[in-house]
Amino acid sequence: MTQFYKEYTKIFVAVDCIIFGFDGKNIQVLIGKRKMDPGRDEWSLYGGFVGQHESLEEAANRVILDLTGMKNLYIRQVGAFGNIDRDPGERVISVAYCTLINVVDYDDKLREQHGLEWVSLKDLPQLYSDHNQMIQDAISQIRRRINTEPLSFKLLPNLFTLTQLQHVFEAVMDEEIDKRNFRKRIKDIDFIEKTELIDKAGSRRGAALYRFNKKAYAQNPSFKLK
């Protein structure tokens, strides 16, 4: 610490992390009951205070790693939330971050360890402070970007069917998509690569499995479904 700024009031800075997951049908959010005051036992996002030697993103990655056990995830800053009365304990400014994962990839033992629950985006309860607004802002940003950035693949397994891909878009956008038009647009995207593998889980005939070709996308990072 230095002798500077002693005349100013100190303010706490925190991060709150929004973990979006896809279960095959719905967009889910990972939430839990607060284990501290204020707001003990209220539904809440998972977060923490920024350490003295951490950047905002480092703090968010630390929280997300603790929560999911996963490294190198997609992470994006949603925004800063600083209403004066947002935390009845102290003056706290929180910076929200979101990440996207496939629910199947998540170790359920971690969920139990932290006392967390996957809750459908449509069925979220009232959360602590402004956490509902954080989630709403985050999903609004994703909806604006999913047609121009390859975000959908972060919610899917490495190999997926076109039906699964369509379901991701429908879940995120909360609207039905015409199957024929969707598949017609997909055929024009070079980095959605058809494999020789077949998924027979849904029918006897099976469905072709596809994958996201990261190398092809890096060479031509243009993505547009609308």
Side-chain angles (χ1 to χ4, degrees):
M1 304 295 289
T2 70
Q3 73 273 24
F4 303 112
Y5 312 128
K6 288 184 177 180
E7 67 272 30
Y8 296 104
T9 302
K10 300 299 187 290
I11 295 175
F12 291 90
V13 179
V15 293
D16 282 297
C17 297
I18 306 157
I19 314 296
F20 287 117
F22 181 64
D23 66 357
K25 293 183 179 180
N26 300 303
I27 297 298
Q28 309 273 329
V29 185
L30 204 55
I31 61 174
K33 294 288 186 72
R34 279 177 66 87
K35 300 175 183 177
M36 59 186 291
D37 293 318
R40 186 181 297 271
D41 293 328
E42 292 184 33
W43 287 107
S44 173
L45 293 172
Y46 196 94
F49 290 103
V50 179
Q52 184 176 350
H53 302 291
E54 286 183 313
S55 68
L56 289 171
E57 190 163 316
E58 286 170 343
N61 276 311
R62 169 176 54 80
V63 170
I64 290 170
L65 176 61
D66 184 43
L67 184 63
T68 68
M70 300 178 186
K71 295 182 179 180
N72 302 318
L73 293 176
Y74 167 87
I75 180 174
R76 189 177 190 97
Q77 187 180 122
V78 176
F81 296 78
N83 285 347
I84 294 173
D85 59 350
R86 66 172 303 276
D87 191 311
E90 291 285 355
R91 180 79 167 94
V92 180
I93 293 174
S94 184
V95 181
Y97 283 83
C98 72
T99 188
L100 308 170
I101 66 173
N102 181 7
V103 171
V104 175
D105 295 334
Y106 180 66
D107 185 352
D108 206 51
K109 292 179 181 178
L110 280 174
R111 182 189 63 77
E112 295 176 356
Q113 175 185 326
H114 290 291
L116 301 169
E117 296 291 341
W118 285 111
V119 178
S120 172
L121 186 63
K122 297 178 180 180
D123 300 321
L124 281 174
Q126 181 61 46
L127 303 180
Y128 175 74
S129 186
D130 46 14
H131 291 187
N132 288 87
Q133 187 61 53
M134 291 179 180
I135 294 171
Q136 184 56 52
D137 289 357
I139 196 64
S140 295
Q141 290 181 14
I142 292 170
R143 284 171 178 162
R144 290 196 297 269
R145 293 187 173 100
I146 196 169
N147 289 303
T148 56
E149 298 179 27
L151 302 182
S152 53
F153 307 108
K154 302 181 187 302
L155 293 164
L156 289 167
N158 291 330
L159 295 173
F160 53 86
T161 66
L162 292 185
T163 297
Q164 288 175 311
L165 181 60
Q166 180 176 336
H167 285 168
V168 166
F169 276 87
E170 290 177 330
V172 169
M173 300 304 295
D174 193 25
E175 63 183 26
E176 291 187 8
I177 298 174
D178 181 77
K179 179 178 179 180
R180 183 178 298 177
N181 289 338
F182 180 80
R183 297 199 174 198
K184 182 179 179 180
R185 294 196 297 269
I186 291 297
K187 289 180 180 179
D188 295 330
I189 301 176
D190 294 337
F191 52 80
I192 300 179
E193 182 178 67
K194 186 177 182 180
T195 73
E196 297 179 355
L197 301 174
I198 301 294
D199 176 22
K200 294 188 177 181
S203 66
R204 183 178 300 177
R205 181 181 177 184
L209 286 167
Y210 290 74
R211 64 185 166 210
F212 173 53
N213 188 323
K214 295 180 181 179
K215 185 176 180 180
Y217 178 74
Q219 293 173 346
N220 183 25
S222 60
F223 184 82
K224 191 172 183 180
L225 273 176
K226 279 192 175 181

